[in-house]
């Protein structure tokens, strides 16, 4: 009489464990099949990358919540020039899109090809993967960083 009861108890234990493992496996499968889509970056405030004190230029890259941006750069005159000092001003705009990690800057088409993004976003001055020039009109920047090197000048990110 003991043997049949003992066998029934063993069968009950094994059957309960197999149901438990099926539930665990189903839960794991459901977790693995969830697709997490990256959310696009939505700005509520203007974000500005502004150059610090330097002798070369004033640089300001402004990301506007409506998906556009403005790029302003005033190159300081060289102090040893004999001629009247004039500063060169570069002003461009375009659209941006991105997620919390990266932002694509699409510079507007220009009549004359006066802007070379490889000069502005010079890989010799970048730290890590802070930016990548995609083509003659597009640059990808690492939005998660607090600064960006533009034309070799450190520009700090701030929100307004």
């Amino acid at each position: 009489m003991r043997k049949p009861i003992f066998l029934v108890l063993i069968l009950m234990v094994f059957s309960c464990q197999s149901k438990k493992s099926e539930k665990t496996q189903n839960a794991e499968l459901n977790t693995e099949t969830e697709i997490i889509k990256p959310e696009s970056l939505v700005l509520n405030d203007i974000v500005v990358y502004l150059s610090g004190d330097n002798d070369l230029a004033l640089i300001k890259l402004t990301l506007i919540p409506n998906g556009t941006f403005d790029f302003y750069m005033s190159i300081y005159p060289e102090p040893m020039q004999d001629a009247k000092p004039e500063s060169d001003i570069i002003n461009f705009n375009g659209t941006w899109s991105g997620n919390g990690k990266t932002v694509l800057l699409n510079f507007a088409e220009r009549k004359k090809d006066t802007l070379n993004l490889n000069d502005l976003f010079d890989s010799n001055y970048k730290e890590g993967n802070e930016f990548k020039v995609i083509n003659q009109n597009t640059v990808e920047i690492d939005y998660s960083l607090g600064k960006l090197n533009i034309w070799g000048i450190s520009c700090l990110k701030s929100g307004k």
Side-chain angles (χ1 to χ4, degrees), residues 10 14 19 43 59 65-66 77 82 84 92 107-108 127 130 136-137 149 151 153:
I10 290 176
F14 283 119
K19 287 184 182 179
L43 296 180
I59 299 173
N66 68 2
D82 292 335
K84 180 181 175 186
F92 290 105
F107 285 79
E127 296 174 12
E130 63 182 326
Q136 67 183 10
N137 294 322
N149 284 316
W151 207 50
I153 299 170

Side-chain angles (χ1 to χ4, degrees), residues 1 3 6 16 25 30-31 33 45 51 58 72-73 75 107 120-121 127 129-130 135 142 149 152 159:
M1 182 88 174
K3 288 185 181 181
F6 183 68
C16 290
Q25 288 175 350
N30 289 340
T31 304
T33 57
D45 294 319
S51 61
L58 168 67
Y72 174 85
M73 181 173 172
I75 301 171
F107 285 79
L120 289 178
F121 297 92
E127 296 174 12
N129 293 325
E130 63 182 326
N135 58 40
D142 187 340
N149 284 316

Side-chain angles (χ1 to χ4, degrees), residues 71-132:
F71 178 82
Y72 174 85
M73 181 173 172
S74 175
I75 301 171
Y76 300 141
E78 293 183 33
M80 301 302 282
Q81 287 181 337
D82 292 335
K84 180 181 175 186
E86 293 182 19
S87 64
D88 292 324
I89 294 178
I90 299 170
N91 212 352
F92 290 105
N93 58 25
T95 60
W96 67 266
S97 62
N99 55 40
K101 174 75 174 147
T102 61
V103 169
L104 278 176
L105 301 175
N106 295 304
F107 285 79
E109 291 288 328
R110 299 164 303 277
K111 291 180 181 177
K112 295 181 180 178
D113 197 7
T114 56
L115 176 68
N116 184 343
L117 293 180
N118 287 311
D119 290 339
L120 289 178
F121 297 92
D122 189 340
S123 61
N124 293 321
Y125 296 104
K126 76 177 183 177
E127 296 174 12
N129 293 325
E130 63 182 326
F131 59 79
K132 178 181 178 184

